Each structure stands twice: as structure tokens, then as C-alpha cells.
Amino acid sequence: MPIVTPLTRMLGIRVPIVQGGMQWVGVPRLAAAVSEAGGLGILTALTQPSPEALRVAIRETRKSTSKPFGVNITLLPTINPPDYEGYARAAFEEGVRIFETAGNNPGPLIKYFKANGCIVIHKCTTIRHAKSAEKMGVDVLSIDGFECAGHPGEDDIGGLVLLARAAKELKVPYIASGGIADARGFAAALALGAAGVNMGTRFMCTVESPIHQNVKDKIVASTERDTVHIFRTLHNTARVFKNKVSMEVVAIEKRGNAKFEDVRDLVSGARGRQVYETGDVDYGIWSAGITLGLIDDIPTCKELIQRFESGVEDTVGALSQIVQKENATVCPV
Ligand code: NAD
């Protein structure tokens, strides 16, 4: 049975599953595989060294899929501030019309995309930020619970409560992000009023994901207890894999009065990238969500998305049986 939601209708996709924009992971091969499988693949703009390189990545993605895909632009503190506007313009000029924005002060970017007729999915971790993005005219909110990989914000609210709040407060469609890696979570998100889901860590651990096999194997072997928060004291909290480097960062922060410069060499994205390239999972910082505890294989994107589709049907079927049984108790025939 097709799963039809405002998201599938708006984006022209078959299954309401969005691949999160992950630094060093959201590259043409993965984005195209997700889109070909019926979801929405996302290229991560800042993974490309320049707006020109993003143009090349967009053209490469198009060679592998004629289906819709999007571009993520995340605005967070960075060691070398990127040319956000340049990336946005390059993607728009290359014909991209779906954007995922995230991070601080997204207003100018959202304004640019909306003035040019694009669809904007804005990711945020609080209802107040969601409402302010709604006022700016975003089309979809990606509601990111504390379970998520990367930056969960500073309020520490889990997805269950955030999504129930979203159902009460938001007028535009929203999707659930953080904590979803299986069909039960997908069905639960739909039950909470979400028009779909966004998944990052789960897509990292697929055949088409560009990261080293050792990292994929490590994800499979890990549990929900294998992540840690860094940058708590710098108000730029990030959930990352618990390894030698992230524990060293936490220890430095615990000593008190840590400045970014004290951890800069340990946490740099350039170093984290080496993890994905060499497979040394202890070499640098890499983002991972607590869905680590739910991931126990490395499927293709097609297998994964098909599993979600059939799994949702099974879960909804099981739920409807529970409802029938309760009716039978109340009104026995
Ligand atoms: P980077 O090497 O510039 O920085 C590494 C980490 O340190 C990042 O988490 C960054 O937010 C943090 N950081 C940098 N300067 C800081 C400061 N002054 N105070 C506190 N924290 C600071 O990052 P990168 O790996 O090259 O990634 C580029 C940007 O993309 C970063 O802002 C990163 O957070 C963001 N990002 C995006 C995604 C995504 O899904 N698009 C995923 C992960 C990270």
C-alpha cells in the first residue's frame, strides 16, 4: 500500500523518507541511491570544498537519478566560515529546488530560497524555533529530537514530546528526525502526526554510503550507549561516536573554562573525515545518533526503504488488531 502524506505529494517522492544532510556522507552516490529507492536523497553542500564543486556534485547526482533530490546547507560555528550564499546560488542555478536548512540564523537563506520558488525543509530542535521558521515561510519542518546525531540544540527534549508538541503547535507539515532507524519508529512518527521521517545514522550504514567498511561494521557492533555529547560547555552541543578523541574532548571540557581553541585540533572536521576515509574509528570526531542501538546490518538503500514500507504496513496492521480487540471487549457480540 502506498504511504501518501503531504511530504510525498509536495516533493513528488514515493516514500516519505528523507536522508539527512550529513557532513562527508551526503555525496552524489548516496543521495542518488536514496532518491532512486523512492525517498529524498540530500547532498550536503559543505562537504564540497567550494560552490563550484557543489555544481559538479549536483550534475553527477543527476547522472544517476532523474528523481528529485535536495541540498543541505547547515549554518553552525565553523573553523573556516563557508560562503553559504555562494553554495545556495550555485545549487539554485544548477536547478535544485528542494533545500534542507539547519542551524543558526537561517533567515536570509530561507528568504532567498522562498523568493525563488524553492521548497524549504528547515531542521530545528525546539518548537519556538520551528514556529519562527514557519513565519519565515518554510514549507516543512524537520523536528530534530535529542536522540539525533550531530547538533541536538541545548534544550534536550526527546522526539516523543517534541513531535506531540509539533502536532499541537505547527500549521505546516513536519517530519520526524532523530531516533528513527526502523519501521516501528517510522510508524510511530506517522502516528505522532509527522508527514515523514529524516534519517542520518541509518543511511550511513548502507552499501551506497561513502564511509569506510570498518566504520559501517563499528556502527553494526555498537549500542545506544556508544555516543557522547561534546561542546556542551561551548553551547554548540554535538552528539558523536564515543571514542578516544571524543572522550578526550569531554575530559578537557570537564576541567572547566575550556575554550574552542583547547579542543580545535581534536575536533576538526578535516580530522573526522579521515575516520571515514581510513576506517580508523578512533582517529577523530564522527557524528552518530543513539539509533546505533537499532542498526544491525548494512543493506542497500533500496532494501532499506522497502523494509520500511512493508514494516509500516505490518505495524499499522498490528495496531489495528489491538484497537479491534479493545472494541470487542467494550461491545461484545
Ligand atoms: P569544522 O571543522 O569547521 O568544525 C568541527 C566542529 O567544531 C563542528 O561541529 C563545529 O560546529 C564545531 N565548531 C567549529 N568552530 C566552533 C566554535 N568557534 N565554537 C564551537 N564549536 C565550533 O566543521 P566541519 O566538519 O568542516 O563541518 C562544517 C560545518 O558543517 C560545521 O559547522 C558542522 O557543525 C556542520 N555540520 C553539518 C552537518 C550536516 O548535516 N550538514 C553535519 C555535521 C556537521
Side-chain angles (χ1 to χ4, degrees):
M1 290 273 281
I3 307 166
V4 181
T5 73
L7 189 81
T8 56
R9 282 193 223 106
M10 189 188 300
L11 303 183
I13 57 175
R14 191 171 54 79
V15 192
I17 295 180
V18 176
Q19 166 238 317
M22 298 167 274
Q23 184 68 328
W24 315 129
V25 183
V27 297
R29 182 169 181 232
L30 179 63
V34 174
S35 290
E36 272 299 288
L40 184 78
I42 299 268
L43 287 178
T44 304
L46 304 189
T47 292
Q48 301 302 326
S50 64
E52 277 311 306
L54 178 60
R55 287 180 189 274
V56 175
I58 291 166
R59 289 178 203 157
E60 198 181 323
T61 310
R62 285 235 173 78
K63 282 187 197 150
S64 307
T65 186
S66 57
K67 301 210 163 84
F69 63 89
V71 166
N72 162 286
I73 302 186
T74 299
L75 305 112
L76 286 168
T78 49
I79 293 173
N80 303 308
D83 174 12
Y84 296 115
E85 289 78 9
Y87 282 103
R89 208 174 326 107
F92 176 73
E93 285 173 7
E94 288 297 318
V96 174
R97 293 293 178 269
I98 304 172
F99 289 89
E100 181 190 54
T101 54
N104 308 326
N105 304 318
L109 271 192
I110 292 173
K111 209 169 154 189
Y112 170 75
F113 292 135
K114 288 316 299 172
N116 286 288
C118 300
I119 295 174
V120 179
I121 304 171
H122 181 66
K123 188 191 270 191
C124 45
T125 58
T126 72
I127 296 300
R128 64 183 190 287
H129 290 141
K131 288 180 85 160
S132 120
E134 196 176 54
K135 281 197 196 115
M136 289 176 204
V138 303
D139 303 274
V140 178
L141 284 150
S142 183
I143 301 294
D144 208 16
F146 191 53
E147 300 89 337
C148 71
H151 297 269
E154 308 304 321
D155 283 4
D156 304 359
I157 311 294
L160 208 52
V161 168
L162 265 188
L163 291 168
R165 289 269 295 124
K168 283 189 184 170
E169 299 277 348
L170 302 182
K171 294 180 189 72
V172 301
Y174 55 92
I175 61 174
S177 179
I180 298 136
D182 63 15
R184 280 202 186 96
F186 184 24
L190 296 175
L192 281 158
V197 294
N198 177 85
M199 300 194 295
T201 311
R202 178 60 274 195
F203 279 119
M204 274 173 79
C205 200
T206 56
V207 170
E208 296 90 344
S209 157
I211 65 177
H212 197 283
Q213 185 67 30
N214 287 357
V215 186
K216 297 182 192 179
D217 292 341
K218 193 68 182 176
I219 291 174
V220 169
S222 299
T223 77
E224 64 277 18
R225 301 183 67 237
D226 289 319
T227 74
V228 68
H229 285 117
I230 58 169
F231 301 149
R232 285 248 86 160
T233 59
L234 301 173
H235 303 289
N236 183 32
T237 300
R239 188 190 290 280
V240 298
F241 188 73
K242 194 190 278 180
N243 63 8
K244 282 183 194 151
V245 177
S246 56
M247 292 314 284
E248 196 178 334
V249 174
V250 171
I252 293 170
E253 287 192 79
K254 270 197 183 141
R255 291 207 293 261
N257 298 321
K259 304 202 173 35
F260 181 68
E261 284 62 39
D262 301 332
V263 296
R264 175 191 161 124
D265 292 342
L266 290 169
V267 303
S268 82
R271 185 169 170 160
R273 183 179 201 168
Q274 293 290 314
V275 170
Y276 297 145
E277 284 177 3
T278 65
D280 177 355
V281 296
D282 274 314
Y283 187 77
I285 298 292
W286 52 284
S287 293
I290 53 173
T291 53
L292 283 180
L294 300 174
I295 298 170
D296 48 22
D297 66 353
I298 308 169
T300 63
C301 291
K302 189 174 173 194
E303 283 162 353
L304 185 68
I305 287 184
Q306 281 174 349
R307 185 189 300 169
F308 271 64
E309 285 183 278
S310 59
V312 155
E313 235 180 294
D314 294 346
T315 308
V316 171
L319 283 174
S320 62
Q321 278 190 358
I322 294 171
V323 174
Q324 278 175 18
K325 271 186 204 148
E326 293 204 340
N327 283 345
T329 317
V330 178
C331 312
V333 279

